[in-house]
């Protein structure tokens, strides 16, 4: 049990009383996500939310991100970001949206990276009240993919055109121990079906030990993604009554262990709807500040899932759902406060929500997703084993065409990771403004691979026109000429997998 007093948080551990003060560089969850600091931040935000002058000053500070910054630490603090979130002045909110869009273009250009989730197993020993995989759910058919089934799913994903996966599994030491996850990763990387290949496997599995993170690193993990669900410890403990995930500190300190185990890129996320959004937003920014303070590298990605209906789960049971306009603002403010981070939105959200989110900050989206174990090899979308309802049910080809209609370049690029540009090296690269000379041609070449191997004729036509237009934007002449050569080789079937 813990109780709060002033700025200091006490937590009883046996007979000892431990004092927790706010310290972003601490490795203790109660110190870097300090409850009192969040409450003070929220009070500060309420006290200053109508101070339009202060909001403008904060936005001015954040504008320095328009030229990718030398120092990648956040230019605005969680307190300042919380003031902007609380402000309801229409003019300031418009400035927030405009600045977020410009910062996004400065760091990520108009490229959007595509990926798909691959659900390996829905066995779970945890009791998460919002998740249909919870151990008490006796109605959900449980399944874990065999290696043959993994192969079939991966071939189906490769045949859609995917190059990047996020593997997902419930927590179960018997049905999905680390050896099973590692075996699946090896299987996934080994499959080369026609011109297909999965070139980056991100992993979303429960918090684990430094040793197991080291094994994931050796198995060539891309990003280790773990959602915090909620940063409010009391709420966290209510929502996770049983199982290993019920240990708040074990879960919250997982990214630090992952980095200690050698994983360079870690992803954060909150499951919006479980707790008040201002609390979650503040916790999320504090977590990013913590990673920067301890490891010198902030989160590689931040995801923004919202609770969705699922078997045995009614999102209305959680009274913290956020309306779309607030959701848009949160995305814009994450982009402003953590400008370098990749931001992910999944098919939990509808086409129209995703369209706006792309403008304000999202840089990665899933497409053609199935959230059930074995879903990609089934003709019809299976609902009984789905982790959550998928709002955006378009095919990958439809998503690719829609992105291009909105002037986004669909990218299947995985080059940075494969060239060792991860962690602080990725940050250096990103802040050095190298995106147009590297990421832009890489995106065009992977788009061309997609167009040649998988696109429908209409998407192919749209895509080839886009590639021709976007090629002209590569500033370095030699790089442009080389890209043109590579593109022509891909189009003529003389090679693929070129990268800078
Ligand atoms: N088992 C791993 C863990 O506990 O972190 C991660 C895998 S879980 C399959 C991936 C994420 O799905 C969870 O972290 C949670 O945020 C999200 N999720 C669970 N139930 C959901 C729901 N009803 N709606 C939307 N997202 C949900």
């Amino acid at each position: 049990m813990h109780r709060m007093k002033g700025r200091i948080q006490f937590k009883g551990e046996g007979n000892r009383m431990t004092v927790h003060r706010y310290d972003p560089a601490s490795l203790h969850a109660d110190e870097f996500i300090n409850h009192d600091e969040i409450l003070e931040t929220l009070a500060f935000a309420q006290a200053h939310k109508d101070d339009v002058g202060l909001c403008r000053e904060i936005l001015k500070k954040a504008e320095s991100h328009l030229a990718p910054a030398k120092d990648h630490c956040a230019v605005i603090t969680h307190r300042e970001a919380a003031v902007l979130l609380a402000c309801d002045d229409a003019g300031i909110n418009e400035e927030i949206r405009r600045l977020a869009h410009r910062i996004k273009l400065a760091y990520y250009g108009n490229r959007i990276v595509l990926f798909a989730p691959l659900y390996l197993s829905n066995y779970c020993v945890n009791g998460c009240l919002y998740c249909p995989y919870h151990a008490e759910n006796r109605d959900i058919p449980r399944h874990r993919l065999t290696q043959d089934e993994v192969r079939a799913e991966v071939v189906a994903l490769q045949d859609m055109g995917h190059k990047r996966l996020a593997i997902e599994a419930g927590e179960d030491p018997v049905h999905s121990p680390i050896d099973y996850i590692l075996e699946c990763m090896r299987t996934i990387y080994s499959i080369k079906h026609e011109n297909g290949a999965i070139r980056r496997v991100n992993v979303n599995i429960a918090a684990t030990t430094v040793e197991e993170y080291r094994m994931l690193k050796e198995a060539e993990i891309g990003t280790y993604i773990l959602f915090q669900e909620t940063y409010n410890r009391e709420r966290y403990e209510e929502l996770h009554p049983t199982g290993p995930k019920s240990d708040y500190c074990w879960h919250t300190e997982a990214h630090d262990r992952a980095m200690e185990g050698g994983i360079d890129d870690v992803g954060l996320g909150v499951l919006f709807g479980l707790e008040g959004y201002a609390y979650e937003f503040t916790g999320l920014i504090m977590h990013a500040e913590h990673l920067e303070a301890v490891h010198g590298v902030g989160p590689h990605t931040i995801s923004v899932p919202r609770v969705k209906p699922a078997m045995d789960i009614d999102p209305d049971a959680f009274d913290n759902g956020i309306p779309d306009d607030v959701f848009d603002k949160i995305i814009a403010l994450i982009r402003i406060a953590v400008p370098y981070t990749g931001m992910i939105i999944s098919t939990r959200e509808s086409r129209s929500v995703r369209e706006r989110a792309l403008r304000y900050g999202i840089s990665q989206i899933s497409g053609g997703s199935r959230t059930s174990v074995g879903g990609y090899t089934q003709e019809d979308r299976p609902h009984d084993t789905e982790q959550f309802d998928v709002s955006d049910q378009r095919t990958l080809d439809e998503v690719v065409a829609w992105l291009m209609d909105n002037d986004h370049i669909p990218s299947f690029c995985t080059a940075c990771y494969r060239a060792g540009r991860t962690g602080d090296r990725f940050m250096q690269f990103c802040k050095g403004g190298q995106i147009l000379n590297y990421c832009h041609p890489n995106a065009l070449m992977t788009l061309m691979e997609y167009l040649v191997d998988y696109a429908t004729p209409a998407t192919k036509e749209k895509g080839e026109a886009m590639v021709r237009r976007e090629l002209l934007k590569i500033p370095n002449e030699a790089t442009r000429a080389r890209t043109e050569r590579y593109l022509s080789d891909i189009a003529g079937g003389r090679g693929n997998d070129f990268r800078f």
Side-chain angles (χ1 to χ4, degrees), residues 119 130-133 168-171 204-206 226-227 229 245 271 306-308 313 348 387-388:
Y119 283 76
Y130 48 83
C131 181
Y133 291 0
E168 313 270 345
E171 181 168 13
N204 184 354
I205 58 164
L226 182 69
F227 300 160
E229 321 301 7
K245 191 166 171 176
L271 186 53
R306 286 194 280 190
V307 185
K308 295 282 299 172
I313 306 297
R348 288 177 182 85
Q387 201 205 4
F388 52 80

Side-chain angles (χ1 to χ4, degrees), residues 35 57 73 99 115 153 162 247 300 318 373 396 409 413 416:
H35 179 66
E57 246 174 65
C73 289
L99 181 60
F115 74 97
E153 290 278 296
H162 278 295
D247 184 337
H300 190 71
F318 309 100
V373 179
L396 181 61
I409 306 174
C413 182
C416 278

Side-chain angles (χ1 to χ4, degrees), residues 8-142:
I8 300 171
Q9 194 168 316
F10 295 91
K11 181 167 174 270
E13 282 172 9
N15 292 327
R16 283 184 305 123
M17 271 302 195
T18 314
V19 177
H20 295 298
R21 292 170 195 278
Y22 173 52
D23 177 3
S26 165
L27 289 174
H28 195 301
D30 286 320
E31 292 176 350
F32 63 83
I33 306 291
N34 183 263
H35 179 66
D36 283 0
E37 173 60 22
I38 297 185
L39 294 187
E40 284 189 20
T41 298
L42 299 186
F44 180 83
Q46 282 305 311
H48 293 86
K49 76 185 181 61
D50 298 321
D51 187 343
V52 171
L54 174 64
C55 291
R56 228 162 244 130
E57 246 174 65
I58 299 171
L59 285 170
K60 186 115 210 94
K61 253 169 97 180
E63 262 187 28
S64 59
H65 282 317
L66 287 173
K70 286 225 166 54
D71 178 356
H72 252 73
C73 289
V75 165
I76 66 168
T77 62
H78 60 273
R79 282 207 179 197
E80 291 168 326
V83 172
L84 293 179
L85 182 62
C87 173
D88 44 27
D89 179 85
I92 293 293
N93 283 339
E94 181 52 31
E95 282 179 45
I96 288 172
R97 284 193 290 272
R98 253 189 271 134
L99 181 60
H101 178 60
R102 290 168 66 207
I103 290 178
K104 192 208 152 179
L105 288 180
Y107 281 81
Y108 284 93
N110 59 340
R111 287 163 298 101
I112 298 295
V113 165
L114 285 153
F115 74 97
L118 172 58
Y119 283 76
L120 299 178
S121 165
N122 62 5
Y123 284 95
C124 195
V125 295
N126 287 312
C128 316
L129 299 188
Y130 48 83
C131 181
Y133 291 0
H134 68 83
E136 296 301 308
N137 187 352
R138 310 266 176 245
D139 297 326
I140 193 167
R142 303 278 173 178

Side-chain angles (χ1 to χ4, degrees), residues 279-428:
Y279 194 105
E280 303 293 33
F281 173 77
T282 307
L284 189 58
I285 305 298
M286 284 166 74
H287 204 165
E289 290 169 347
H290 161 71
L291 294 177
E292 284 172 0
V294 174
H295 307 281
V297 185
H300 190 71
T301 56
I302 293 182
S303 302
V304 287
R306 286 194 280 190
V307 185
K308 295 282 299 172
M311 179 193 269
D312 211 28
I313 306 297
D314 173 8
D316 292 339
F318 309 100
D319 47 12
N320 291 297
I322 46 174
D324 289 350
D325 58 335
V326 174
F327 187 59
D328 292 350
K329 186 171 176 183
I330 287 172
I331 291 170
L333 285 174
I334 295 173
R335 176 50 67 219
I336 288 173
V338 198
Y340 54 82
T341 198
M343 276 182 78
I344 303 178
I345 200 165
S346 74
T347 51
R348 288 177 182 85
E349 300 296 340
S350 67
R351 168 189 174 146
S352 59
V353 169
R354 301 215 299 168
E355 210 155 286
R356 289 195 308 278
L358 287 171
R359 181 170 173 77
Y360 304 135
I362 295 298
S363 58
Q364 293 188 27
I365 63 172
S366 46
S369 306
R370 298 262 168 117
T371 64
S372 43
V373 179
Y376 294 107
T377 42
Q378 296 177 32
E379 189 93 351
D380 295 321
R381 185 176 287 278
H383 288 294
D384 57 349
T385 59
E386 268 189 329
Q387 201 205 4
F388 52 80
D389 270 6
V390 170
S391 291
D392 187 340
Q393 302 200 356
R394 291 172 295 170
T395 63
L396 181 61
D397 194 75
E398 287 166 335
V399 171
V400 166
W402 158 77
L403 285 173
M404 295 192 293
D405 287 340
N406 288 281
D407 202 34
H408 299 292
I409 306 174
S411 171
F412 295 87
C413 182
T414 53
C416 278
Y417 154 73
R418 292 158 80 221
R421 294 191 293 263
T422 56
D424 55 348
R425 290 169 304 283
F426 171 77
M427 297 297 172
Q428 294 296 331

